[in-house]
Amino acid sequence: MSDERVIFGNTVDSLYGRTLDGDLTPELKARLKALGLDLDAPLQAAYPHAVWVRCLDETGRTLHPDVPLDEARRRLARRMIEGYAQTLMGASVLAMARVLGTMRSLGRMTHNFRSGNNFTETRLEVVSPNAADLWFNEPEATEGFVEGVLEEGLQRIGVKGLVITRTRQGPDSCTYRVQWDDTAAS
């Protein structure tokens, strides 16, 4: 079995097929194809993480040229969750998260992210009833992306007063302090 990090085709579809399709110029699609993502062909089951990162960065720089790259990635992640919510799997995950509440949903992040890739690991440390530190094995190469996924996903399940603070732990991990106001969603 390979240890290669991959992004599953459903993740690519959630971003590129379901939400960005109208924003993709023929020139951008050609550049993405040259990087390993042919959006005019049937999606593959999985793509190497390196291809995903290069395509995210190219897309981010093209669609959001006036913001830092980590902010562009954050915006793309939010759009990906928008598309994910349109899928049967995404709608189910978000519905379950509403039932579970914020803290228990944060505790399931490894499981949730593993529906889109084969490598994400998380650890949750409860700080208070409305705050937690969530560690990810997120590489610097995608900084900003997880933050956008958390923001959009938590807002979609009704979390109010959300504040996420990122602390880079090194090139291969990051911790997010997630705080919220809505005690009913805990």
Side-chain angles (χ1 to χ4, degrees):
M1 183 172 160
S2 172
D3 289 336
E4 179 183 26
R5 288 181 172 202
V6 297
I7 303 296
F8 300 140
N10 65 309
T11 301
V12 174
D13 179 55
S14 292
L15 178 61
Y16 289 98
R18 295 183 181 268
T19 60
L20 292 183
D21 192 47
D23 299 328
L24 301 174
T25 64
E27 295 80 16
L28 177 55
K29 287 175 89 173
R31 291 194 308 272
L32 294 175
K33 183 177 181 179
L35 294 172
L37 177 60
D38 185 352
L39 295 170
D40 293 321
L43 289 176
Q44 297 174 20
Y47 294 84
H49 185 253
V51 168
W52 172 250
V53 171
R54 288 191 303 266
C55 291
L56 269 183
D57 289 355
E58 184 65 29
T59 304
R61 286 185 190 105
T62 301
L63 299 182
H64 304 289
D66 298 330
V67 300
L69 190 53
D70 69 325
E71 172 62 18
R73 289 184 198 123
R74 188 185 71 77
R75 291 179 184 184
L76 291 175
R78 292 189 71 128
R79 297 286 305 273
M80 187 201 68
I81 294 300
E82 177 186 329
Y84 184 63
Q86 297 171 25
T87 69
L88 182 58
M89 181 184 296
S92 298
V93 167
L94 291 169
M96 177 174 282
R98 278 195 254 350
V99 171
L100 291 175
T102 307
M103 194 66 77
R104 287 186 14 203
S105 293
L106 291 173
R108 293 180 44 84
M109 281 298 149
T110 295
H111 176 77
N112 294 343
F113 272 74
R114 287 291 181 101
S115 70
N117 69 52
N118 72 339
F119 62 87
T120 296
E121 294 180 19
T122 66
R123 290 191 296 264
L124 180 70
E125 181 180 331
V126 175
V127 175
S128 74
N130 294 76
D133 287 338
L134 187 58
W135 175 91
F136 276 82
N137 64 330
E138 178 194 19
E140 254 176 340
T142 56
E143 188 155 276
F145 193 79
V146 166
E147 192 171 352
V149 168
L150 291 172
E151 286 173 350
E152 188 67 23
L154 291 170
Q155 287 175 355
R156 283 181 177 268
I157 67 167
V159 176
K160 306 291 184 208
L162 182 63
V163 176
I164 299 175
T165 308
R166 175 180 50 198
T167 304
R168 172 71 39 205
Q169 304 299 317
D172 297 317
S173 67
C174 193
T175 298
Y176 297 89
R177 169 68 53 95
V178 182
Q179 299 174 277
W180 60 96
D181 293 336
D182 186 5
T183 55
S186 298

